[in-house]
Amino acid sequence: MILEGNARGSGAELARHLMNPVDNDHVSVHLLEGFIADDLAGAFAEAEAISQATQCQKYLFSLSLNPPLGASVSEAEFEAVIAQAEERLGLKGQPRAVVFHEKNGRRHAHVVWSRIDAAEMKAINLPHFKRKLTALSREIYLEHGWEMPEGYRDADKRDPYRYSREEAGQAKRSKRDAPALKRMFAECWAGSDTGEAFAAALRDNGFVLARGDRRGFVAVDAAGEVWSLSRWCGVKTRALRQRLDNLDNLPDVEHAGQMAKDLDAPERIQPDPQREARLKALVAEQRAERAALIEVQKQRMAEELRARPKGLRKAFLWVTGQHAAFIARCKEDAYLSKVRDAAERQAMIDRHIAARRVFEREIGLSRLHHAAARPDKRQRLTDQDRRDGPNKAEVLSNPACVLEVISHHKADFSRADVMRALSEHIDEPAALSKATASALKAERLVTLPGDGVPRYTTRDYQAAETTLRSSAAALAKSRGVSVSQTHITAALATQNKTMQRVFGGRLSEEQSEAIRHVLGKEQFAQVVGLAGAGKSTMLATAADAWQRQGITVHGAALAGKAAEGLQASSGIKSRTLAALELSWQNGHTPIERGDVLVIDEAGMLGTRQLSRVTAKCQEVGAKLVLVGDPD
């Protein structure tokens, strides 16, 4: 169970967040203890009023308890963890509120304590609370036998792109994908070594670098949303200043928002009306069922109370000395009734969560089917060069079958590589040595010339390399439609004007030279540059020139995210290479003679796949432009 806590003020805002029925399928106040008020807003207002007698601004401590996906945690188990947490934090006996939330097929709890010790009229100090909560989380994972997150086992393996609750909230308000945003900002920072390169990388993604109202550095999008760079890039303010303080004439937030409107921003998350309608109906049905259960339990409790002895019958118990036994029996009955009611609620909650997960799974499958029906649209990665490895029986009967697997990962390999691949299926040393010798006698194996340790490759890999070389050489020698100097000059002038308006820059000599290179008559071109060097800006300018000339430009990349990034930063309509090859296999002609195909992150492609694409471009008479990083 992941425990995340923080001290905070703004009790009214927190109460609204915790009781929000729009973003949560179900909200229930489980406990209000130590407050006079009987509602959350009133309780937090009490805590705020008491804090006025102290200097404490963050008078509340809020803790969220998130069990692993698929775990069924009862109310009693949540209460036990809360008791342990308040014991370790030093908040035992403080007024508290417990609220349960359910959304997206998961149930979690929030507990909020007042930090103000009313007797001493001072705030309770919470030293090292993050370490204490992390240690308790580990203990709970071990106690329940749940699979512990990688970051809890080893702090060095924590997700470098993890985001906070505040960052998730900002992304949600802006209808953006929080994980993608976090990765984008971090990669822009890591891939640039100067302030100008960082500003250009942000601009390629639809953001303008600006100075914040408090002399800090922020990014602003076309909607005017301000994104803290120290938070989203995960760097210290001092590091930002060291790299960016030398930038002159950075716009303020208001002007940056106006500048960002001229940039091509990535698409925002758009709600699916059909999904929203189905989800609304499901939640309404579940809420009605829960309300009915609560009403049934209330009526049953009232009937049980009415059935207890009253009047003369109760007096008779006093006279006969049975009253103490009666009280004990009533307490036991009340406890059993409480356990019974909690079990009924938990059974319903588990059933509703299961239904919600089924709903999400069905929606996910329907989206996949919809995407498969339209292969030209954005698709997830489907690497056609990937092969499932052989099983043990296949390896024992034909050890040479591992050669194909190895050759899909390495251009050449040694005897040790073959033995390593076979050892995954063969444990006995003598059998392993025999299988290795057998594999090295295969006809498909080719021994490469050279001194020292022998190196090998396979015939089909050599054939793919030969095809790639010949196709690339043929494309480089052939000539296609050239872009007129007028259109090139106009595209360069437009880009320089935009860059000057946004952050006071212009295309570098290297970028201009690269643009003219890819716009040449040759049917094959390559551009290599580090992240942040301005490849996206170069492609956007080249695409402008091609379009002015009337040439159709297509974009492709190995991964779906890379294809989306190429389209967002350069304006070139893009798809995955898997989708492109699937179109060719199905007899379609997505790329025709005279078109241009731009492949981003080309260094990530396997030799066989790049060979197929290059040969196809030569066949149809299209120009091929490869763009990538030297690493």
Side-chain angles (χ1 to χ4, degrees), residues 11-12 15-16 18-19 29-47 96-99:
R16 286 193 296 270
L18 292 179
M19 297 304 295
V29 178
H30 178 67
L31 178 67
L32 271 177
E33 189 174 67
F35 298 103
I36 298 175
D38 57 0
D39 67 290
L40 211 58
F44 293 166
E46 284 180 31
R96 63 179 183 175
V98 179
V99 180

Side-chain angles (χ1 to χ4, degrees), residues 250-424:
L250 280 181
D252 57 22
V253 170
E254 182 178 355
H255 287 89
Q258 295 296 325
M259 295 177 180
K261 291 181 180 179
D262 295 331
L263 302 179
D264 293 329
E267 293 183 5
R268 297 177 183 270
I269 299 174
Q270 299 297 332
D272 182 349
Q274 183 180 1
R275 177 189 182 278
E276 295 299 321
R278 287 183 57 191
L279 177 58
K280 186 177 180 180
L282 175 63
V283 171
E285 180 183 348
Q286 291 183 351
R287 288 178 179 176
E289 190 175 352
R290 295 193 183 198
L293 176 62
I294 292 173
E295 186 61 31
V296 167
Q297 291 181 345
K298 286 182 178 179
Q299 292 178 2
R300 186 169 57 198
M301 181 180 294
E303 292 174 359
E304 290 172 351
L305 290 174
R306 286 195 298 267
R308 291 179 179 176
K310 295 180 179 63
L312 291 176
R313 292 178 60 194
K314 190 172 183 180
F316 178 78
L317 294 175
W318 276 101
V319 172
T320 58
Q322 301 178 42
H323 187 263
F326 167 72
I327 294 299
R329 190 166 60 252
C330 286
K331 289 182 178 179
E332 183 181 0
D333 291 343
Y335 172 75
L336 293 175
S337 297
K338 181 180 178 180
V339 171
R340 177 199 61 203
D341 292 350
E344 290 178 348
R345 291 194 301 270
Q346 188 64 42
M348 177 174 288
I349 288 168
D350 290 342
R351 181 160 47 83
H352 286 175
I353 289 177
R356 183 69 161 84
R357 289 174 184 162
V358 170
F359 172 82
E360 290 294 333
R361 187 162 57 248
E362 289 176 350
I363 291 296
L365 290 174
S366 67
R367 287 172 178 168
L368 288 177
H369 293 325
H370 188 57
R374 298 180 294 111
D376 284 351
K377 299 297 182 181
R378 296 172 181 167
Q379 295 180 2
R380 295 190 178 276
L381 169 64
T382 303
D383 185 358
Q384 294 189 351
D385 273 343
R386 181 175 178 177
R387 298 291 188 272
D388 293 331
N391 56 40
K392 185 173 182 178
E394 292 173 333
V395 171
L396 291 175
S397 62
N398 180 23
C401 66
V402 300
L403 299 177
E404 183 180 2
V405 178
I406 299 172
S407 69
H408 274 81
H409 296 278
K410 295 185 175 184
D412 59 85
F413 48 90
S414 65
R415 183 180 186 277
D417 294 320
V418 178
M419 182 173 288
R420 190 178 298 111
L422 289 170
S423 67
E424 296 180 4

Side-chain angles (χ1 to χ4, degrees), residues 15-30 40 99-103 287 290:
R16 286 193 296 270
H17 167 69
L18 292 179
M19 297 304 295
N20 181 5
V22 177
D23 295 331
N24 298 285
D25 297 344
H26 305 286
V27 178
S28 61
V29 178
H30 178 67
L40 211 58
V99 180
F100 286 113
H101 282 177
E102 291 175 45
K103 60 181 178 182
R287 288 178 179 176
R290 295 193 183 198

Side-chain angles (χ1 to χ4, degrees), residues 105-343:
R106 303 189 69 164
R107 191 183 196 215
H108 62 276
H110 295 269
V111 54
V112 183
W113 290 274
S114 170
R115 287 185 59 207
I116 307 302
D117 185 340
E120 300 288 338
M121 288 309 296
K122 65 180 182 181
I124 297 174
N125 192 25
L126 301 170
H128 311 297
F129 70 86
K130 290 186 178 179
R131 293 183 182 177
K132 294 175 182 177
L133 293 175
T134 300
L136 180 57
S137 291
R138 291 194 183 101
E139 293 175 15
I140 296 169
Y141 272 102
L142 294 173
E143 178 184 345
H144 289 79
W146 295 329
E147 183 178 355
M148 191 178 297
E150 193 72 27
Y152 275 70
R153 289 195 293 266
D154 185 352
D156 294 334
K157 294 183 179 180
R158 290 178 181 173
D159 182 5
Y161 304 115
R162 62 186 183 278
Y163 51 91
S164 66
R165 191 182 301 108
E166 291 78 10
E167 291 166 345
Q170 184 180 19
K172 184 175 182 180
R173 291 191 301 272
S174 302
K175 297 182 179 179
R176 301 286 188 94
D177 182 14
L181 269 179
K182 191 72 176 182
R183 181 179 292 272
M184 182 276 295
F185 277 112
E187 289 180 348
C188 285
W189 176 260
S192 58
D193 53 1
T194 64
E196 292 81 0
F198 183 54
L202 289 177
R203 188 178 62 82
D204 288 343
N205 288 279
F207 294 86
V208 175
L209 179 63
R211 287 192 183 271
D213 297 334
R214 298 181 181 178
R215 298 178 63 187
F217 295 97
V218 297
V220 185
D221 62 16
E225 184 73 22
V226 180
W227 306 83
S228 168
L229 290 177
S230 61
R231 171 180 291 177
W232 282 95
C233 294
V235 297
K236 302 286 186 182
T237 304
R238 182 178 179 181
L240 280 171
R241 289 175 178 169
Q242 288 177 345
R243 184 177 298 185
L244 305 180
D245 260 346
N246 62 339
L247 295 181
D248 298 326
N249 302 322
L250 280 181
D252 57 22
V253 170
E254 182 178 355
H255 287 89
Q258 295 296 325
M259 295 177 180
K261 291 181 180 179
D262 295 331
L263 302 179
D264 293 329
E267 293 183 5
R268 297 177 183 270
I269 299 174
Q270 299 297 332
D272 182 349
Q274 183 180 1
R275 177 189 182 278
E276 295 299 321
R278 287 183 57 191
L279 177 58
K280 186 177 180 180
L282 175 63
V283 171
E285 180 183 348
Q286 291 183 351
R287 288 178 179 176
E289 190 175 352
R290 295 193 183 198
L293 176 62
I294 292 173
E295 186 61 31
V296 167
Q297 291 181 345
K298 286 182 178 179
Q299 292 178 2
R300 186 169 57 198
M301 181 180 294
E303 292 174 359
E304 290 172 351
L305 290 174
R306 286 195 298 267
R308 291 179 179 176
K310 295 180 179 63
L312 291 176
R313 292 178 60 194
K314 190 172 183 180
F316 178 78
L317 294 175
W318 276 101
V319 172
T320 58
Q322 301 178 42
H323 187 263
F326 167 72
I327 294 299
R329 190 166 60 252
C330 286
K331 289 182 178 179
E332 183 181 0
D333 291 343
Y335 172 75
L336 293 175
S337 297
K338 181 180 178 180
V339 171
R340 177 199 61 203
D341 292 350

Side-chain angles (χ1 to χ4, degrees), residues 584-595:
W584 281 327
Q585 291 174 9
N586 292 334
H588 302 303
T589 55
I591 299 177
E592 298 178 344
R593 177 174 295 277
D595 290 355

